[in-house]
Amino acid sequence: MNLPHCSLSRRGLLAAGTALIAGPVLAQAPAWPVRPIRLVVPFPPGGLIDTMGRLIGTRLAQELGQPVVVDNKPGAGGNLGAAEAARAAPDGYTLLMASPALTISPAVYRNLPYQPAQLAPVALLGRVPNVLLVNPVSGLQRVQDIVARAKAAPGKLNYASNGNGTSLHLSAELFKSRTGIFVTHVPYRGAAAAITALLSSEVDFMFDNLPSAIGQIQSGRLRALAVTTPERSPALPSVPTLAESGVAGFDVSAWFGMAAPAGLPPAVTARLGEVLQRIVRLPEVAAAMQRQGAEPAFLDERATARFLAADAAQWKQVAAYAKIALD
C-alpha cells in the first residue's frame, strides 16, 4: 500500500523545524544594556536638571549593571542638548534628561534644531514648583497686592526673568493672562542675575524655581507670595498656591523626566520605565529630591505623553497671548 505523497521534502521538513525552533529566539529583543549609556543633560552642571540627572543616573547604573555617563550639552535654552539626543540612534544607549524646555521651546522658537517628533517620552520623575517672589521692602504682602497695584498703574510694575522664552518668563506671562494685568518684562542672563535685581529693588517681582530661591526665602531677604502648583509645597507649607490666592487655572512646575530618541524598542522603553519607577520610589531618592525642593511624581510612558501634550498646549496659548517668537 503506497503512502500518500508528502508535499514537503525531507529538506523542507528540516528547514521548517529549524524555523520553528529559531522563530522565538529571533523574536526576542536583543540584550540591553550591554555597554555604557549616555545621559544627555541639556543644561550646565550644578542646576536642578543636572542634579536630578546625576541622582537618577547613578541609581540607573546600579539597577542596569552598566555605567550611565552624564553628558552636559547646554545652550539655547536646552535646545542644543535635546537636538543632540534627537539625532542619536534609538537603541537605548542615548537618553535625555527632559525638562519644560521640551514643551516650551516648540511654542516660542521659530526654528528649532530638532523636530519634537524626534523625541519620545519614557517617564516623568518629579516636579518642582515655581514660586512668586517679592522684596519685603516693596510692601507687597499678598498676590492680590500685586494685582491691585498693577491695575492702579498699568505698566508701572515690572518683573524679572532668567531670559526670554524660559519657564520663568512664561510663568509670569501666564500670571498676567490670568489676572488681566499689564506689567513690563525685564529679562536677565540667568536666574542669579534676576534674583540680584529683585534683591536690589530694580524689579518688583519674579517667578523662580523653588530650589534656587528657598535660601533667600528662609533668610527673609525675599518673600514668597505663592507657589505655582495645585498643591502647597512641603518645603513651604505656609505659602499658599496661586489658586488659593484667587488666580484660577494656574498649574506650572519645573518638572523633570526621561526621554529618548523616537523609535526606541518597546521592550527597552518598558524596562526603563519599570526601573525608573523603582528608583523614584526609593526612600533615599525621594529624600534627595525633597532636599532640592522637588517631589517625586512618577508617570509611565503613556501618562507622560498626555502630561507633555497638555503642558505644550498651555505654553502655546501663553506664547500666542504674549506674542513671544524667538529665533
Side-chain angles (χ1 to χ4, degrees):
M1 179 175 168
N2 293 328
L3 292 174
H5 176 69
C6 181
S7 61
L8 287 175
S9 67
R10 184 178 179 185
R11 182 179 295 176
L13 286 170
L14 288 172
T18 303
L20 287 172
I21 294 170
V25 175
L26 293 174
Q28 290 177 0
W32 178 88
V34 295
R35 55 186 172 85
I37 296 167
R38 180 173 66 137
L39 177 58
V40 177
V41 173
F43 295 99
L48 173 70
I49 303 302
D50 176 70
T51 301
M52 293 297 101
R54 293 176 188 277
L55 172 67
I56 297 299
T58 298
R59 293 289 178 168
L60 197 59
Q62 294 170 359
E63 291 279 344
L64 296 177
Q66 289 290 340
V68 175
V69 181
V70 173
D71 186 7
N72 294 91
K73 294 289 184 181
N79 292 335
L80 295 186
E84 180 91 4
R87 289 191 294 264
D91 54 12
Y93 293 100
T94 298
L95 303 173
L96 175 69
M97 201 65 190
S99 74
L102 287 189
T103 53
I104 291 175
S105 291
V108 301
Y109 282 91
R110 295 186 183 94
N111 298 300
L112 283 178
Y114 68 98
Q115 295 298 318
Q118 290 179 272
L119 292 168
V122 174
L124 186 79
L125 303 175
R127 302 182 71 180
V128 180
N130 289 338
V131 58
L132 176 56
L133 301 169
V134 297
N135 191 318
V137 302
S138 67
L140 298 166
Q141 301 283 340
R142 306 174 305 153
V143 172
Q144 294 90 334
D145 295 339
I146 293 180
V147 175
R149 192 176 294 184
K151 288 187 173 180
K156 184 175 181 180
L157 295 189
N158 56 23
Y159 73 90
S161 83
N162 59 337
N164 286 309
T166 63
S167 65
L168 304 183
H169 175 200
L170 270 71
S171 291
E173 292 298 329
L174 180 61
F175 178 64
K176 287 169 59 178
S177 72
R178 292 287 188 267
T179 56
I181 62 174
F182 171 62
V183 293
T184 303
H185 176 216
V186 183
Y188 289 85
R189 294 179 64 86
I195 286 282
T196 299
L198 186 60
L199 288 169
S200 62
S201 298
E202 292 176 20
V203 293
D204 298 295
F205 69 92
M206 69 173 287
F207 286 84
D208 195 11
N209 300 143
L210 178 55
S212 62
I214 196 163
Q216 302 285 3
I217 296 168
Q218 291 172 339
S219 70
R221 298 184 70 196
L222 292 178
R223 177 180 294 144
L225 300 188
V227 295
T228 61
T229 42
E231 303 83 23
R232 294 192 181 196
S233 169
L236 295 173
S238 63
V239 176
T241 67
L242 277 165
E244 290 176 314
S245 304
V247 185
F250 209 105
D251 182 3
V252 173
S253 61
W255 54 267
F256 52 93
M258 194 77 71
L264 199 65
V268 174
T269 301
R271 187 172 181 206
L272 263 175
E274 292 169 3
V275 171
L276 289 169
Q277 184 174 26
R278 192 155 61 242
I279 290 171
V280 168
R281 289 179 174 176
L282 291 172
E284 58 269 34
V285 171
M289 287 186 182
Q290 288 163 348
R291 284 195 295 272
Q292 295 291 325
E295 287 297 318
F298 181 85
L299 294 178
D300 65 16
E301 175 194 7
R302 292 184 179 181
T304 301
R306 291 192 294 270
F307 172 84
L308 297 185
D311 208 43
Q314 173 173 258
W315 295 131
K316 185 177 180 179
Q317 290 179 345
V318 173
Y321 168 84
K323 297 181 174 59
I324 302 171
L326 305 177
D327 294 321

